[in-house]
Every structure is written in C-alpha cells, then in structure tokens.
Amino acid sequence: MRLRPHRFALPSDVAARLPLARGERPLAWALGAGETWYVGTARALHLPEGDTFRTVAWEEIERADWHSETDVLAIVEVSGWGEPERRIEIPVEQPGQLLELLRERVTKSVVINVYAAVRGRRGLSVIGRRSPSGDGQVTWAYVLAAGLDPDDPDVLHVASRTLAEAEAELAGL
C-alpha cells in the first residue's frame, strides 16, 4: 500500500512507547482528543491505554466505520461465539491515512467468507482470517444476523456445517 505523506509527524516520544516487533514501523496515525495517538503498522493497530498501547492485530478487527458527522472512527473487534460486539469509538477529526490503512489491512486479512441462511433471509457468515502478511494460521469467526440465538440448535447446526464447507473450500484453493 502506498500512503501519501502525513500532514504532521508522529512525535518521537509516542513512537518510542509503541510495542513494535523487530522490523515493524508506524505507517499511519491519527491524533485524537487530548493528544491521544492511534497508530497503524503493517501488522497491527496500536490503541492508547494509559501511558502504553494495546496492540490489536489486523485479523482481530472485524470492521471499521468512519462517521464524518460526529468525527468518530468506530472499530469492531472480532468476538467469540455468542459474545456481543467489542466496539471501540475513536474521536478523531481527520482519520486520513489511518482509515485507509485500516480498511486495506482488515480487508486483506479476510481469506474466505461464506454465508449461510438459517431462517429466511437471516443467517450467518463464517469468516476465515489470517495476518495480512500471509503468515500464521487461519482463525475462524462467525457473524450472526440480528435476532439469531447462538444457543439455538438450528443456528449451531448451520454454523458447524458452514465452517466445514469453508474449511474444505479453503483447502481446495
């Protein structure tokens, strides 16, 4: 991905606090309220947590939405079966390159997405993700339509069948 030059530099004290792996470097960032920095690298999104940062790998992010009317970048993390969405709202005036990087990396982490109906138009998706760098195992997640009960035997059956189909399809690629 080729990003345009930043309008402002990432402060060196912020860069020094980032928990980066060998060879990892900041690619995009945004400044939030109260001098709060949000930083993206090729491997992950780094979210401020007190004086440190919490690292969220791209494959652990389900989706991100920019709400220009409220200047909020909403990020939804992948959650476990039947768990509610984990949503983070980041107040930033200009998400710019961070939003571009977020969309590109999250999209690239999805290796397969299989939808199956459960009842009428309501169904579920089985999504296989891996690091956008292409290394690592595929991790599987489910997205259930609103109103579907994760404990319903029909939902469990369709989820199990769809996972098997997705794994078989991925193995055939």
Side-chain angles (χ1 to χ4, degrees):
M1 169 175 212
R2 192 132 179 104
L3 296 173
R4 296 181 311 273
H6 282 282
R7 291 185 355 190
F8 50 89
L10 182 66
S12 58
D13 65 312
V14 173
R17 291 192 332 250
L18 291 169
L20 302 179
R22 179 182 283 276
E24 189 177 13
R25 64 182 179 82
L27 296 177
W29 48 87
L31 178 61
E35 292 293 311
T36 305
W37 291 88
Y38 303 90
V39 182
T41 67
R43 297 178 185 197
L45 176 64
H46 298 274
L47 302 169
E49 219 172 54
D51 289 338
T52 62
F53 287 85
R54 179 170 72 94
T55 301
V56 182
W58 296 121
E59 64 271 21
E60 295 171 3
I61 298 175
E62 184 178 309
R63 68 182 183 278
D65 301 303
W66 169 243
H67 303 283
S68 59
E69 62 283 349
T70 57
D71 291 335
V72 169
L73 179 58
I75 297 169
V76 177
E77 292 183 56
V78 173
S79 54
W81 178 260
E83 293 178 5
E85 286 185 344
R86 290 179 285 183
R87 183 179 178 92
I88 304 160
E89 294 193 345
I90 299 171
V92 293
E93 287 185 28
Q94 300 277 329
Q97 294 173 347
L98 184 61
L99 180 57
E100 291 175 44
L101 182 67
L102 235 163
R103 286 181 174 156
E104 186 266 339
R105 297 264 92 187
V106 170
T107 300
K108 192 172 181 181
S109 75
V110 176
V111 293
I112 191 166
N113 185 343
V114 179
Y115 174 81
V118 176
R119 285 194 190 86
R121 293 185 179 194
R122 292 191 307 182
L124 58 87
S125 293
V126 174
I127 303 162
R129 292 182 169 86
R130 81 167 50 132
S131 170
S133 63
D135 57 351
Q137 296 292 320
V138 172
T139 58
W140 298 97
Y142 301 87
V143 177
L144 277 63
L148 289 180
D149 179 358
D151 295 324
D152 180 320
D154 291 338
V155 173
L156 291 165
H157 174 73
V158 171
S160 176
R161 184 190 75 225
T162 307
L163 174 61
E165 291 170 10
E167 289 174 325
E169 185 176 331
L170 188 59
L173 293 180

